[in-house]
Amino acid sequence: MHRKNEGAVTEYRMTGKLFVLSGPSGAGKGTLREHALNDIPNLKYSISCTTRHPRDGETDGVEYRFITREKFKEGISQNLFLEYAHVHEDFYGTLKQDVVNELNAGKNVLLEIDIQGALQVKAKMPEALLVFVDVPSVEELERRLRNRHTESEESLRVRLKNAIIEREQKDKYDYVIVNDDLENACKELREIFTKS
Ligand code: 5GP
């Protein structure tokens, strides 16, 4: 399922830059994100809302804002989301006001969201820079996901299926980074962020 928020975002002055990181689950987006946030000054991570349950070690307000489906749907009807999507059977979304406030304050903002959300952001904020973090192959992705031990077999299958679909759309991104070597991938990302 894929529903878009319609209408461009007009209430922002865009003094900061907006970066969007996407890619298959298991491509290493989370690790790259952490490195980018440590390395690049003035870069703020936007914490998404989700209806999925926290995993072991996750804290509300840190990795995500964990909210109920009812609350999420309320947010949709009040047009609170810059983008949102139904991913792996749960809802995920970025609060518009969070991003607008940071950009207006001159901060650079980093979103780590799925491809459906990234394309919604690009439609509303064409200046946003989209970076796709890819894996060398689907076989490698499966190996990484299995090693992570965070998913049931069923969830793993869903993630692999989604990854194949997502990889077919990577040419819609401004940049593609293949994460086969973490250090290189971090360097590439840093270059993209700092030269933009
Ligand atoms: P996970 O459940 O593994 O944390 O995330 C699953 C997927 O949801 C990842 O591809 C992640 O990038 C995506 N995601 C996380 N937050 C958001 C969001 O706010 N919006 C959208 N569209 N996708 C998100």
Side-chain angles (χ1 to χ4, degrees), residues 29 48 52 55 64 83 85 92-94 112-114 117 159:
K29 283 168 298 176
S48 298
R52 90 151 158 73
R55 297 187 183 121
Y64 286 103
E83 63 73 35
Y92 294 78
T94 306
E112 193 219 300
I113 61 178
D114 90 314
R159 278 161 198 265

Side-chain angles (χ1 to χ4, degrees), residues 19 21 29-30 33-34 37 42-48 61-65 98-99 102 107-113:
F19 298 106
L21 215 55
K29 283 168 298 176
R33 177 189 80 204
E34 289 310 317
L37 291 168
N42 205 29
L43 185 63
K44 293 271 292 182
Y45 179 58
S46 161
I47 300 169
S48 298
V62 178
E63 288 81 10
Y64 286 103
R65 296 181 174 108
D98 279 3
V99 174
E102 298 292 2
K107 305 262 188 232
N108 298 319
V109 178
L110 177 61
L111 308 183
E112 193 219 300
I113 61 178

Side-chain angles (χ1 to χ4, degrees), residues 9-16 18 46 80 82 94-107 109 111 125:
V9 174
T10 50
E11 70 270 35
Y12 69 101
R13 295 191 296 275
M14 207 73 179
T15 42
L18 180 59
S46 161
L80 298 185
L82 169 63
T94 306
L95 288 173
K96 185 161 51 180
Q97 205 56 50
D98 279 3
V99 174
V100 168
N101 289 348
E102 298 292 2
L103 291 175
N104 283 348
K107 305 262 188 232
V109 178
L111 308 183
M125 295 179 159

Side-chain angles (χ1 to χ4, degrees), residues 52-63:
R52 90 151 158 73
H53 293 295
R55 297 187 183 121
D56 281 351
E58 287 183 332
T59 310
D60 185 36
V62 178
E63 288 81 10

Side-chain angles (χ1 to χ4, degrees), residues 2 20 82-85 113-122:
H2 173 197
V20 181
L82 169 63
E83 63 73 35
Y84 69 92
I113 61 178
D114 90 314
I115 192 161
Q116 309 168 65
L119 297 179
Q120 292 173 48
V121 171
K122 191 74 173 175

Side-chain angles (χ1 to χ4, degrees), residues 49-175:
C49 297
T50 183
T51 60
R52 90 151 158 73
H53 293 295
R55 297 187 183 121
D56 281 351
E58 287 183 332
T59 310
D60 185 36
V62 178
E63 288 81 10
Y64 286 103
R65 296 181 174 108
F66 295 99
I67 63 173
T68 60
R69 280 187 173 244
E70 290 65 38
K71 260 248 155 300
F72 202 102
K73 285 183 178 159
E74 222 175 276
I76 296 173
S77 60
Q78 292 172 359
N79 197 23
L80 298 185
F81 292 109
L82 169 63
E83 63 73 35
Y84 69 92
H86 197 224
V87 191
H88 309 320
E89 286 144 20
D90 277 297
F91 285 101
Y92 294 78
T94 306
L95 288 173
K96 185 161 51 180
Q97 205 56 50
D98 279 3
V99 174
V100 168
N101 289 348
E102 298 292 2
L103 291 175
N104 283 348
K107 305 262 188 232
N108 298 319
V109 178
L110 177 61
L111 308 183
E112 193 219 300
I113 61 178
D114 90 314
I115 192 161
Q116 309 168 65
L119 297 179
Q120 292 173 48
V121 171
K122 191 74 173 175
K124 289 180 181 172
M125 295 179 159
E127 303 92 333
L129 211 106
L130 269 46
V131 182
F132 190 89
V133 181
D134 202 4
V135 273
S137 66
V138 176
E139 292 71 30
E140 169 63 13
L141 181 63
E142 180 167 359
R143 198 186 61 75
R144 288 186 195 176
L145 284 175
R146 288 196 183 282
N147 284 348
R148 216 163 73 169
H149 300 296
T150 52
E151 311 306 323
S152 65
E153 186 63 28
E154 192 194 339
S155 150
L156 194 134
R157 290 280 141 221
V158 173
R159 278 161 198 265
L160 282 177
K161 196 174 123 229
N162 288 348
I164 293 166
I165 298 166
E166 289 191 330
R167 290 180 91 219
E168 284 165 1
Q169 302 201 64
K170 62 186 174 189
D171 57 349
K172 295 182 178 153
Y173 280 66
D174 298 299
Y175 294 94

